[in-house]
Amino acid sequence: MESLICKHWHHCPAEEVTTLLTTHPDRGLSLFEVKHRLEHFGPNMVTAKKQRGPLIRFLLQFHQPLVYILLAAAVTTIILQEWVDSSVIFGVVIVNAIIGFIQESKAEQAIESLKQMMTTQATVLRDSKWMQIDSIQLVPGDIVRIQAGDKVPADLRLLSCRDLHVDESALTGESVPVMKKEGTLNPETILADRHNMAYAGTLVTYGQAQAVIVTTGDKTETGRISEMIAEAEDFSTPLTIKIASFSKVLLIAILILAALTFAVGLWRGKGIIDMFMAAIALAVGAIPEGLPAAVTITLAIGVNRMAKRRAIIRKLPAVETLGSTTVICSDKTGTLTENQMTVRRVFAGDEYFDVQGNGYTPDGRILSGGAAVAGKMPVALSETLLAGLLCNDSRLVEKDKIWHVEGDPTEGALITAAAKAGFLMHPTTEKMSRLDVIPFESERQFMATLNKTEAGNVVYLKGAIEKILDACSESLSVDGMPAMLNKQDVFEKADELASNGLRVLALARRKVDKDKLDIDDCMSGLTFLGLQGMIDPPRTEAIVAVGVCRKAGITVKMITGDHAVTATEIARQLGIGRVDGREHEKPETLSGKQLESLSDEELIEKAGSTSVFARVAPEQKLRLVEALQARNHIVAMTGDGVNDAPALKQANIGIAMGITGTDVSKEAADMVLTDDNFASITAAVEEGRRIFDNLVKFITWTLPTNGGEGLVILAAIMAGVALPILPVQILWINMTTAVLLGLMLAFEPGEKDVMNYPPRKPDSPILSGILIGRILLVSLLMLAAIFSIFNWQKSIGYPLEVARTVAVNLFVMIELTYLFNCRSLTRSMFKIGIFSNPWVLVGSGLMVVLQLLYTYAPFMNKVFHSAPIGANDWFLVVILAFAVYGIIGLEKGVRLCIFKKAR
């Protein structure tokens, strides 16, 4: 049975393949042999790999330093018998765990999609009888038939075929159906060029074939991809890495400060119980209880904003990852391009004509020498366009104001080009009705129609240049007169068009005196009309988006299954790999065959300098992502096919296409584009940067509160005086300000220049040295203001409850004014607009109301040990709070001036 394993089925002759598989093309396998092979190879399905159970996945959500800090806060509040606060903190932890649990298990879902994709009906030959069976029962050696509309049930070696075309875009990225044929191929032939093979999960679009199954289930190309999905490493996002690192440092700092407080108190002769409670108070004050909630809510707001910009987020941290992206690896077809073939240039009557407009919309001008073709159109041009319209089996339809082609994309391009010259489909075909047709066949490489015209019956042909020119004896001059045909010149013109990435078709005609069409009518005596060169053009908005990425310091690379010449030209038009001042140079391109010969070290080197990767296989896409990550890049990878799924999962952020994408690619991705448009990725990157900025603003705002509270407790212990704030009061400050003040920063609109600077370095900390300095400054200002005012009021006879109430209000008001400082980390609040974020004003108003309740409501006085204070106390609180705002505003202004001078 091991003899059934062969690496190069495409290289073996058909007779050798059937011999190796011990089967017969006219009888198939016996039922006994099928049973034996089914037991050996297993059912024809992708088997799911064993994953962690749901309980383990849920418990792992708690395995994070930040969650440890929250749990510590919850335990301390239980010790203090503050049941409401402990319930709130535990609630935050549980909600975060549930969100993370729901977002996981992408690999299992992707493999499940693969299993569904491969399950279909198949026509199989067994014991000399053709029968319909479930594809899950197929085994290697089975003889099967496939025809238009069938999904290929397993990996097949073609034995015989007739005009077989297979859509392999989901597997290879090839933008048009691939013509298949028998024969043998070189062993090194890449998967996309194996024209004698058909692969599981691909779709037959035209023709029929008889084939032998060579591999089933996990051994198929689709099965190998499922294995790569399961093995692909799940990378932590930049945000989770930074938050984890930050949380560890914070946890160590809190424990050291708490231990120091406890030790100093004992050294000063204080009681163990009192010092333990003081240490708990410091820990409660230093733990940023609102940080996990702020991260979750900020990311959730980002998800909502991105959805409005046509990007659906499947995993919350992916929102911020986009803001850290340094390289975007994009597929070509449909993402960077229109996914609509468009005629760009026409060669007729020894002249070139340019065709404007993109896609199947029949709008656009035809230009000659840069000027629109005015008045009467040159005969050679009109005949070339007319031939493309009449020798055609497709049609254009308009639905919801969008034009689509029903049929072959190449024929749709020919119909659109003719419409731009005024030849509309229905009036023209009614006036010049079809009498007969010879459909396209791979052996002939042309299609012919016989049409009734005013000048008599005319045969129109379109097809491969070599075939058409062989049958032509003359050409048509620009004014419609017969002219000598220079075949060499036409070949040179065709090569020139092809070098610009255009797919070229030749068109010809012949007048006949008959109503039926024979092959002989198409083999000689034709008049060459012209050439039409077409391409799937780049999206206009994608060109702009690539430029925005370049300005933002993000490198865009094209990874496609399409041919190198076409991919390189499209990349040049998009500006991928462009160096300023050298706009016309083509980007560096590497083919899948060249890539295969590179070692890992060579690929890591090449991955940085190469902009276009063409004709690549699924595992090569995965290698490319890994090579870029080895260069410390944060990689975003787009894709829509089954072949893209492993690379999507490996990438720091996988981006699937919502319209054309397979279920497998969507399940493996972190983000799905609802419009399949590259420009939406740029919008998402901008949103990701804004989100990270807002998270940094929140952390810069919240840490001085925690630092100030910790320093106040530490200073009181050191000085041997009463605590200015109690643990329960610290919890009040932390929980209320985090919700009503800090979270309002999540709604902050992005800075206008957010896409004008390079991505953050992956290894850079969350907080810069400048921001750490500002946090320390605000913490020290809080310590100085609160500790001095508390002790001064105590010295002049203020009751302890009143002095503590003033201290709490001063804490809150400094946080409130500092919040407006943090709306921008570099600019003044007046520069960004006071009312540009109304939620900050709403939150500040509600916070003031809550502080009035805290100060004057009797039930609040009882719960939080607060007391009413006088107008003079409020005046002092407000003056000191605005003083802190002014000092920080001055510090920002000085730094901005220094920065401008340095530039």
Side-chain angles (χ1 to χ4, degrees):
M1 199 65 68
E2 296 303 320
S3 64
L4 302 190
I5 299 173
C6 175
K7 187 176 181 182
H8 300 304
W9 292 111
H10 57 280
H11 176 59
C12 300
E15 298 79 10
E16 185 179 339
V17 172
T18 53
T19 301
L20 284 171
L21 292 167
T22 56
T23 187
H24 196 283
D26 297 325
R27 295 192 301 271
L29 298 172
S30 68
L31 296 180
F32 177 78
E33 180 65 19
V34 168
K35 181 182 178 182
H36 182 55
R37 293 191 185 191
L38 198 58
E39 290 172 354
H40 182 83
F41 292 103
N44 179 32
M45 60 183 290
V46 177
T47 54
K49 304 297 184 290
K50 189 174 181 180
Q51 303 292 333
R52 291 191 182 108
L55 178 61
I56 298 298
R57 292 203 307 272
F58 181 73
L59 292 176
L60 284 174
Q61 305 303 316
F62 300 92
H63 184 51
Q64 303 172 44
L66 194 60
V67 175
Y68 295 154
I69 294 177
L70 275 178
L71 291 173
V75 170
T76 55
T77 53
I78 290 174
I79 293 172
L80 296 168
Q81 297 186 351
E82 298 296 335
W83 310 116
V84 174
D85 296 306
S86 61
S87 299
V88 169
I89 298 171
F90 270 123
V92 169
V93 173
I94 296 298
V95 167
N96 282 334
I98 291 172
I99 292 172
F101 176 74
I102 291 172
Q103 296 291 343
E104 285 195 354
S105 307
K106 295 182 295 178
E108 299 95 311
Q109 295 172 30
I111 291 171
E112 186 62 32
S113 293
L114 279 164
K115 288 164 63 179
Q116 294 171 5
M117 177 181 176
M118 287 187 62
T119 302
T120 182
Q121 288 288 301
T123 304
V124 62
L125 179 66
R126 288 179 177 172
D127 277 338
S128 302
K129 295 179 182 178
W130 289 100
M131 59 185 74
Q132 285 273 331
I133 66 168
D134 210 347
S135 65
I136 200 171
Q137 300 172 24
L138 293 172
V139 295
D142 264 329
I143 306 297
V144 294
R145 278 179 183 165
I146 53 174
Q147 59 186 6
D150 287 348
K151 192 171 281 187
V152 178
D155 284 1
L156 313 177
R157 172 65 159 84
L158 301 176
L159 302 177
S160 63
C161 58
R162 181 174 180 181
D163 301 328
L164 184 69
H165 288 71
V166 180
D167 180 359
E168 296 183 332
S169 58
L171 192 64
T172 66
E174 180 73 56
S175 54
V176 294
V178 178
M179 184 175 67
K180 298 289 185 178
K181 54 188 175 183
E182 310 95 330
T184 58
L185 297 170
N186 191 292
E188 285 75 35
T189 305
I190 63 171
L191 187 143
D193 292 334
R194 294 175 189 170
H195 301 310
N196 59 3
M197 300 285 294
Y199 293 100
T202 58
L203 182 67
V204 179
T205 60
Y206 191 80
Q208 55 188 353
Q210 185 167 315
V212 58
I213 294 177
V214 294
T215 53
T216 58
D218 292 332
K219 299 299 182 182
T220 63
E221 291 297 324
T222 306
R224 286 197 318 108
I225 289 170
S226 78
E227 188 175 347
M228 285 190 282
I229 294 173
E231 291 175 355
E233 184 179 349
D234 266 325
F235 275 81
S236 298
T237 69
L239 179 65
T240 55
I241 292 170
K242 293 179 194 299
I243 290 290
S245 175
F246 172 74
S247 301
K248 287 176 183 176
V249 172
L250 193 61
L251 182 60
I252 293 169
I254 289 169
L255 292 175
I256 290 173
L257 282 175
L260 181 62
T261 301
F262 185 76
V264 169
L266 291 180
W267 177 68
R268 295 186 63 89
K270 302 288 184 180
I272 292 178
I273 299 299
D274 291 338
M275 286 304 94
F276 178 70
M277 294 307 292
I280 288 176
L282 186 143
V284 169
I287 293 172
E289 292 91 346
L291 183 55
V295 171
T296 301
I297 292 171
T298 302
L299 294 178
I301 292 169
V303 168
N304 186 50
R305 286 191 181 187
M306 285 187 178
K308 292 177 182 176
R309 301 183 79 169
R310 300 181 179 89
I312 305 299
I313 301 297
R314 297 186 64 251
K315 195 172 182 182
L316 279 181
V319 179
E320 184 276 332
T321 308
L322 279 162
S324 310
T325 300
T326 57
V327 174
I328 299 175
C329 296
S330 178
D331 192 18
K332 176 182 72 69
T333 306
T335 307
L336 292 167
T337 65
E338 297 279 359
N339 199 18
Q340 296 183 341
M341 294 297 286
T342 304
V343 173
R344 276 281 187 248
R345 300 199 85 187
V346 178
F347 175 75
D350 209 30
E351 287 186 27
Y352 276 122
F353 299 90
D354 295 310
V355 184
Q356 294 184 321
N358 280 353
Y360 301 128
T361 304
D363 296 327
R365 300 186 301 165
I366 298 177
L367 308 178
S368 175
V373 176
K376 189 176 180 181
M377 186 172 293
V379 177
L381 173 62
S382 62
E383 282 295 307
T384 301
L385 295 172
L386 191 61
L389 175 65
L390 295 174
C391 189
N392 203 307
D393 282 333
S394 302
R395 68 190 188 108
L396 292 182
V397 293
E398 186 181 18
K399 186 178 181 182
D400 298 328
K401 297 183 179 181
I402 298 175
W403 287 88
H404 304 272
V405 63
E406 290 185 351
D408 186 77
T410 299
E411 292 190 331
L414 296 173
I415 297 170
T416 305
K420 291 173 182 177
F423 298 116
L424 300 180
M425 187 77 180
H426 293 295
T428 306
T429 52
E430 285 179 8
K431 185 179 178 181
M432 306 175 72
S433 58
R434 180 183 292 186
L435 302 175
D436 202 0
V437 62
I438 296 177
F440 179 88
E441 285 193 8
S442 55
E443 291 82 5
R444 290 192 290 266
Q445 294 188 334
F446 68 80
M447 173 185 175
T449 61
L450 178 62
N451 294 82
K452 186 177 181 179
T453 72
E454 293 177 353
N457 294 347
V458 179
V459 179
Y460 287 104
L461 280 84
K462 75 169 190 289
I465 299 162
E466 297 83 357
K467 289 290 183 181
I468 299 296
L469 285 181
D470 282 347
C472 291
S473 57
E474 63 180 12
S475 67
L476 197 67
S477 66
V478 70
D479 57 1
M481 300 301 292
M484 185 180 70
L485 175 62
N486 186 339
K487 294 185 179 181
Q488 183 59 37
D489 183 59
V490 174
F491 277 122
E492 289 175 1
K493 294 293 190 294
D495 289 341
E496 184 181 337
L497 292 172
S499 67
N500 289 318
L502 298 177
R503 183 182 183 190
V504 185
L505 285 180
L507 299 110
R509 74 177 187 189
R510 178 188 178 185
K511 292 182 180 179
V512 294
D513 295 322
K514 55 196 301 187
D515 295 331
K516 290 292 181 181
L517 195 55
D518 296 323
I519 291 293
D520 292 341
D521 299 324
C522 308
M523 303 308 292
S524 62
L526 296 173
T527 299
F528 173 73
L529 299 176
L531 306 172
Q532 292 198 48
M534 62 196 70
I535 198 169
D536 179 12
R539 291 177 182 258
T540 304
E541 59 270 32
I543 296 173
V544 176
V546 169
V548 171
C549 286
R550 190 165 57 248
K551 189 177 180 182
I554 301 169
T555 303
V556 179
K557 296 182 184 292
M558 180 190 290
I559 303 180
T560 178
D562 217 336
H563 294 279
V565 174
T566 304
T568 304
E569 176 58 22
I570 290 293
R572 185 194 66 79
Q573 294 178 28
L574 285 160
I576 291 175
R578 177 177 296 172
V579 178
D580 291 337
R582 292 153 59 183
E583 285 76 10
H584 299 291
E585 287 190 14
K586 292 186 176 180
E588 186 175 341
T589 302
L590 201 65
S591 71
K593 196 168 185 179
Q594 293 169 318
L595 194 151
E596 191 175 11
S597 66
L598 298 177
S599 66
D600 289 344
E601 292 75 17
E602 290 171 330
L603 180 58
I604 291 169
E605 182 64 30
K606 275 285 187 183
S609 60
T610 305
S611 299
V612 179
F613 299 89
R615 305 299 278 173
V616 294
E619 59 270 21
Q620 291 176 330
K621 291 187 178 186
L622 187 60
R623 277 190 76 201
L624 282 169
V625 172
E626 291 172 332
L628 289 166
Q629 288 171 335
R631 296 176 67 93
N632 294 322
H633 282 297
I634 301 297
V635 181
M637 170 78 185
T638 75
D640 56 5
V642 177
N643 62 325
D644 297 320
L648 289 176
K649 188 167 183 286
Q650 176 69 28
N652 299 90
I653 177 162
I655 305 169
M657 303 298 111
I659 299 173
T660 59
T662 59
D663 288 342
V664 181
S665 65
K666 291 175 188 175
E667 295 297 345
D670 302 289
M671 184 174 90
V672 179
L673 300 183
T674 60
D675 60 353
D676 290 11
N677 194 335
F678 184 85
S680 297
I681 301 175
T682 308
V685 169
E686 181 181 347
E687 196 65 36
R689 290 190 175 191
R690 184 198 65 79
I691 287 165
F692 186 81
D693 284 352
N694 286 352
L695 284 173
V696 172
K697 290 172 186 177
F698 176 85
I699 294 171
T700 305
W701 171 83
T702 194
L703 287 188
T705 303
N706 303 113
E709 289 166 346
L711 288 175
V712 166
I713 298 292
L714 188 59
I717 298 298
M718 292 286 191
V721 298
L723 296 180
I725 46 176
L726 297 173
V728 69
Q729 294 169 338
I730 291 173
L731 278 172
W732 165 262
I733 295 170
N734 289 358
M735 298 307 291
T736 56
T737 57
V739 173
L740 293 178
L741 298 182
L743 286 182
M744 300 303 108
L745 291 172
F747 298 95
E748 198 65 38
E751 307 270 350
K752 292 181 179 179
D753 62 349
V754 73
M755 292 296 282
N756 291 349
Y757 53 81
R760 297 181 308 279
K761 292 181 180 179
D763 56 352
S764 64
I766 290 182
L767 298 174
S768 65
I770 292 174
L771 293 181
I772 291 173
R774 186 176 299 167
I775 290 168
L776 290 174
L777 174 61
V778 178
S779 298
L780 291 172
L781 289 173
M782 281 187 170
L783 169 63
I786 291 159
F787 196 71
S788 57
I789 293 301
F790 174 77
N791 284 300
W792 171 69
Q793 289 186 332
K794 280 282 293 165
S795 67
I796 61 174
Y798 269 59
L800 186 59
E801 289 78 6
V802 174
R804 281 175 172 162
T805 303
V806 172
V808 169
N809 279 300
L810 185 51
F811 254 120
V812 171
M813 290 303 139
I814 290 176
E815 286 188 68
L816 193 151
T817 56
Y818 180 51
L819 179 73
F820 287 89
N821 283 122
C822 290
R823 289 191 56 202
S824 174
L825 298 176
T826 56
R827 295 180 176 88
S828 163
M829 171 184 69
F830 302 101
K831 291 281 187 182
I832 62 173
I834 298 174
F835 302 103
S836 58
N837 182 2
W839 290 104
V840 168
L841 301 175
V842 171
S844 299
L846 291 173
M847 192 69 243
V848 169
V849 170
L850 275 185
Q851 281 310 113
L852 291 173
L853 285 172
Y854 173 88
T855 305
Y856 297 109
F859 74 93
M860 297 288 274
N861 296 154
K862 184 176 180 181
V863 171
F864 292 101
H865 310 289
S866 59
I869 61 175
N872 290 338
D873 299 319
W874 279 114
F875 179 76
L876 185 62
V877 165
V878 171
I879 289 294
L880 288 173
F882 275 101
V884 172
Y885 173 83
I887 292 170
I888 301 303
L890 182 63
E891 180 258 353
K892 281 201 294 184
V894 170
R895 289 190 184 277
L896 189 60
C897 288
I898 294 171
F899 175 73
K900 286 181 177 178
K901 285 182 179 180
R903 293 183 67 182

